[in-house]
Amino acid sequence: MDLTRATPPLLKHLNERTVLEAIRASAPISRAEISRRVGISKPTVSLALRALEHAGLVREAPDGPDGPSYGAVFFEPVPDAAFVLGLDLGSRFLRGAVADLAGRIRARQDVELRGADADGALAAIEALHASLVEAAALPLERIDGVVLGVPGVVESATETLRLTTPHIAGLEHRALAAELRGRLGAPVTIDNDINLAAVGERWSGVARGIDDFAFLSVGTGTGLGLVVGGELHRGTHGAAGEIDWALAGTDEDLDPSAEGVAALAAHLSWDGGVDGSTPPYDARDIFTAARRGDALARTIVERVARRIAAHIAPIAAVADPELVVLGGGLGMNGDLLLAPVRSLLHEWLPYPPRVEISSLGESAVLMGAVATGLQSALDNVFVSRRAVGSTP
């Protein structure tokens, strides 16, 4: 069979999927507007709408985009057709949320890990999963799947974790997804946390609508998520974005993470400034002192900005992104970092990217997990509901 030819059943399937995506993107939306936006005739749109309504995937909206419809018919997705659960496993916190197919958050909870190892993290994930399902008052079978962001590389061939954070002992070489599938009794997808942060920013943050951008997280570690042509770039082994390795071989210490900042402060003999803190210095204390006028703390922050710019420059030179989003506990200090980072990139590069601070903050990874789960759920629900519910 030649699958490149659009047989009538395949064409019908494609039309229904196209109409569903148009409704998801612009609900509430009329039949005529759907036809105009996707380039399908009104009778064909009507047939697709009938099938989607019968399958329980779309419904008539009570109001139009500007209020009451006054007789006109508008359509919207059925948000309760399925739900997704997103999780962000961080060094200090486990964050979770349940969302419906419209992307609305039905329940959100954060749990402090308090130095948990991998086994403790697994137990916390299992408990948070149960708590979120209960808080959202959902039947367990309505959860289409779970997406978890983890601080490490997820090897594409084996789903095992590599280059993981030292703050959660026992993650290295762990097949976390397989273990969680058994514990949760649900499909589980895991991805690098910074990759998911990039997805989150494109879904509902400062990178919305931008096809070529990078998300650089600077906090307890440094990582990068790269979106090219509207798609997340993971690389051959799933290790794209391990930006520290791009600078391997240089003699200069260019680590902008919390550990690198603390080492820099010790090297420059910072004495704790106006805060009176003592070694090992917390990077947050240094940024606070810089805001209060401590001269040496300001010097340290300027060097951190230079280190961040040095991480951005090779990505900008190779991938030529339109935007770089700064996130993470340190990267979010835009009042101190944005101006010097932008200035250095304009000095160094012929085509410097725009640099902005994450608009999602600590929720970026979680929102990326939800967005990833939603896309998979929409695919699954469309196929399953259409198989049993669409008209011949």
Side-chain angles (χ1 to χ4, degrees):
M1 178 181 177
D2 182 5
L3 295 179
T4 63
R5 296 185 61 190
T7 60
L10 177 58
L11 183 58
K12 182 174 182 289
H13 173 94
L14 292 174
N15 287 336
E16 290 172 9
R17 185 55 188 263
T18 300
V19 169
L20 178 60
E21 290 296 331
I23 294 171
R24 283 191 57 238
S26 305
I29 186 172
S30 68
R31 181 183 289 105
E33 183 64 14
I34 295 171
S35 175
R36 186 187 70 79
R37 292 195 181 196
V38 303
I40 299 176
S41 69
K42 290 181 183 178
T44 301
V45 170
S46 295
L47 288 173
L49 283 169
R50 189 183 311 160
L52 292 170
E53 284 186 284
H54 191 63
L57 294 172
V58 303
R59 64 190 180 192
E60 290 188 10
D63 295 316
D66 300 316
S69 58
Y70 300 111
V73 179
F74 294 85
F75 295 89
E76 65 183 7
V78 176
D80 293 350
F83 298 85
V84 299
L85 196 149
L87 296 168
D88 169 20
L89 176 61
S91 298
R92 294 177 54 234
F93 289 93
L94 172 67
R95 310 183 196 278
V98 172
D100 60 28
L101 285 188
R104 288 193 293 264
I105 303 299
R106 296 295 189 91
R108 164 77 193 267
Q109 296 178 11
D110 295 350
V111 177
E112 190 172 1
L113 291 177
R114 299 180 184 275
D117 61 7
D119 289 330
L122 280 166
I125 289 170
E126 187 174 6
L128 183 56
H129 174 271
S131 179
L132 284 167
V133 171
E134 181 181 2
L138 302 176
L140 190 59
E141 63 273 12
R142 299 289 291 281
I143 300 292
D144 180 81
V146 177
V147 178
L148 169 67
V150 294
V153 171
V154 182
E155 288 194 334
S156 52
T158 63
E159 286 193 324
T160 56
L161 302 184
R162 292 293 311 281
L163 306 179
T164 55
T165 175
H167 297 92
I168 304 178
L171 281 182
E172 190 75 9
H173 296 294
R174 198 85 178 236
L176 207 61
E179 293 186 56
L180 284 173
R181 289 177 194 127
R183 284 176 176 252
L184 304 182
V188 176
T189 300
I190 61 174
D191 203 345
N192 172 263
D193 52 0
I194 311 306
N195 282 348
L196 290 180
V199 172
E201 286 293 339
R202 190 167 190 268
W203 181 50
S204 61
V206 70
R208 184 181 299 179
I210 297 178
D211 287 341
D212 296 284
F213 78 96
F215 184 101
L216 178 62
S217 176
V218 183
T220 55
T222 308
L224 183 134
L226 182 62
V227 174
V228 180
E231 298 292 334
L232 185 67
H233 180 71
R234 290 186 173 84
T236 302
H237 303 95
E242 294 301 306
I243 188 64
D244 283 338
W245 299 105
L247 302 174
T250 180
D251 293 332
E252 186 179 357
D253 186 356
L254 295 173
D255 180 11
S257 73
E259 183 177 342
V261 174
L264 176 61
H267 176 72
L268 295 178
S269 302
W270 188 61
D271 61 1
V274 295
D275 296 278
S277 55
T278 58
Y281 296 114
D282 188 317
R284 292 170 296 184
D285 293 338
I286 297 169
F287 278 81
T288 297
R291 288 190 180 91
R292 295 179 179 175
D294 183 282
L296 188 52
R298 285 186 172 274
T299 297
I300 294 169
V301 170
E302 288 170 3
R303 294 199 185 183
V304 172
R306 189 176 188 86
R307 293 179 176 189
I308 290 173
H311 279 70
I312 294 173
I315 296 300
V318 172
D320 189 25
E322 175 183 344
L323 169 71
V324 172
V325 180
L326 288 182
L330 300 186
M332 291 294 294
N333 289 283
D335 59 323
L336 296 175
L337 295 174
L338 268 184
V341 168
R342 288 169 175 168
S343 177
L344 287 167
L345 292 176
H346 277 82
E347 177 185 339
W348 295 345
L349 300 172
Y351 300 105
R354 179 164 58 94
V355 182
E356 302 290 351
I357 298 299
S358 165
S359 60
L360 298 179
E362 65 182 20
S363 298
V365 178
L366 184 59
M367 291 302 98
V370 168
T372 301
L374 282 176
Q375 188 57 58
S376 177
L378 285 162
D379 290 340
N380 296 336
V381 170
F382 177 75
V383 171
S384 62
R385 290 290 185 93
R386 184 182 176 278
V388 298
S390 60
T391 55

